[in-house]
Amino acid sequence: FVAVDSRLGGVSFGALRIEQYRFHFEHPSMHTLASRGRPSTVRAAARAILALNEIALPAAEAGTRMNLPVINVGMVNGGTVPNATPGRVTFTADIRAL
């Protein structure tokens, strides 16, 4: 699409690639008092999110308006009560690049 009825300004070209992933972590849920020293779906998901954010991404292309590539964790879900470890935790990662 090209608009010729107004000032064009910069022209962008390329194809935006979008990849979306959902990560699932599962472990038997347990009461808070029984959880010390045991595996945790929340800690596993948190470590995975931190690892995604530590991935070295290439620098954004000079002169472009989009700061790509980018990785974003947009949704984190899990748990049903405040006094038990969640049996299931999920998060989504949105990855965009030219």
Side-chain angles (χ1 to χ4, degrees):
F1 175 82
V2 177
V4 294
D5 58 345
S6 65
R7 184 178 159 294
L8 286 178
V11 176
S12 297
F13 63 93
L16 181 63
R17 180 176 183 154
I18 301 171
E19 297 279 340
Q20 295 176 336
Y21 298 92
R22 179 172 290 149
F23 296 86
H24 301 267
F25 298 83
E26 294 188 28
H27 188 270
S29 181
M30 64 189 82
H31 191 278
T32 300
L33 294 175
S35 66
R36 185 173 177 170
R38 305 290 305 268
S40 165
T41 54
V42 173
R43 285 193 303 267
R47 287 183 181 127
I49 291 169
L50 287 172
L52 282 174
N53 286 304
E54 291 174 1
I55 294 174
L57 298 174
E61 217 175 287
T64 62
R65 293 178 301 184
M66 293 186 280
N67 191 17
L68 298 173
V70 65
I71 299 174
N72 177 61
V73 173
M75 295 183 350
V76 180
N77 299 295
T80 56
V81 296
N83 64 337
T85 60
R88 180 182 174 109
V89 172
T90 63
F91 72 85
T92 60
D94 180 41
I95 302 170
R96 296 178 184 229
L98 289 178

